[in-house]
């Protein structure tokens, strides 16, 4: 779909970078609903550390509309 393999649609490349002040979660490739489930698990683990979290979507090649809705809900939940 849109130049992405089936494997990429279900297994997102999520990179976590931590420093003493923040946690960065970078997502690369397509960001579909199936990928969102792994992302949310990663986000919940990172949130337990009580550091600010930055979510970087610069390398995302495709975003599913359901993921956009879920991100909006997370924004309200986390703020």
């Amino acid at each position: 779909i849109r130049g992405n393999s089936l494997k990429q649609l279900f297994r997102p490349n999520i990179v976590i970078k931590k420093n003493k002040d923040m946690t960065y979660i970078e997502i690369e490739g397509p960001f579909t609903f199936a990928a969102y489930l792994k992302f949310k698990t990663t986000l919940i683990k990172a949130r337990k550390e009580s550091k600010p979290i930055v979510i970087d979507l610069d390398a995302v090649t495709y975003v599913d509309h359901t993921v956009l809705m879920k991100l909006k809900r997370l924004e309200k939940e986390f703020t």
Side-chain angles (χ1 to χ4, degrees), residues 57-74:
L57 302 175
D58 285 343
V60 170
T61 56
Y62 170 77
V63 179
D64 187 324
H65 72 281
T66 56
V67 171
L68 290 175
M69 292 178 0
K70 298 277 187 190
L71 288 174
K72 283 289 187 186
R73 287 186 195 149
L74 279 177

Side-chain angles (χ1 to χ4, degrees), residues 4-5 7-17 25-32 35 38-39 55-63:
N4 299 297
S5 70
K7 180 180 175 183
Q8 288 176 311
L9 295 176
F10 294 99
R11 290 191 172 178
N13 187 16
I14 298 176
V15 178
I16 302 168
K17 297 179 182 178
I25 300 175
E26 298 176 2
I27 302 168
E28 300 172 351
F31 197 11
T32 63
K38 180 179 176 185
F39 162 76
I55 301 169
D56 184 359
L57 302 175
D58 285 343
V60 170
T61 56
Y62 170 77
V63 179

